[in-house]
Amino acid sequence: EEAENGACIIWTGATQRRNNYILGMINVTYPNAKRTKMNVARLAKILQLKSTDLAKNLDASHLCHNALCVNTDHIVFRTSGD
């Protein structure tokens, strides 16, 4: 799917169904050794912005409406009500 900021980059790894969406998922180990499963779109945006504390109460939302897209130009953080 083509969005305003270039083509989608589609995650082809592990997925998980959540709230009628199929999301890309990955295991992440933080520097404090805490291990967790994370949505790859959220992780891509966190890595781009270089902040692990970023947007803990916000959802990663896709401007392209493609839940498997990891193009950080297509991902924004929003409240779940948006």
Side-chain angles (χ1 to χ4, degrees), residues 3 12 20 37:
T12 59
N20 297 324
K37 211 179 246 193

Side-chain angles (χ1 to χ4, degrees), residues 56-70:
K56 289 182 179 178
N57 298 321
L58 299 175
D59 294 330
S61 179
H62 291 84
L63 301 174
C64 60
H65 306 290
N66 186 337
L68 291 176
C69 178
V70 292

Side-chain angles (χ1 to χ4, degrees), residues 4 6 8 13 15 17-19 26-27 34-37 40 53 57-58 63 66 68 72 77:
E4 223 175 276
C8 290
T15 61
R17 181 173 291 280
R18 281 193 188 167
N19 302 325
I26 194 166
N27 288 319
K34 178 184 173 193
R35 188 177 172 117
T36 187
K37 211 179 246 193
V40 293
D53 293 328
N57 298 321
L58 299 175
L63 301 174
N66 186 337
L68 291 176
T72 55
F77 286 119

Side-chain angles (χ1 to χ4, degrees), residues 36-56:
T36 187
K37 211 179 246 193
M38 184 180 282
N39 175 317
V40 293
R42 173 181 279 290
L43 179 60
K45 198 66 177 178
I46 286 170
L47 290 172
Q48 177 198 34
L49 300 173
K50 299 177 183 160
S51 175
T52 57
D53 293 328
L54 182 71
K56 289 182 179 178

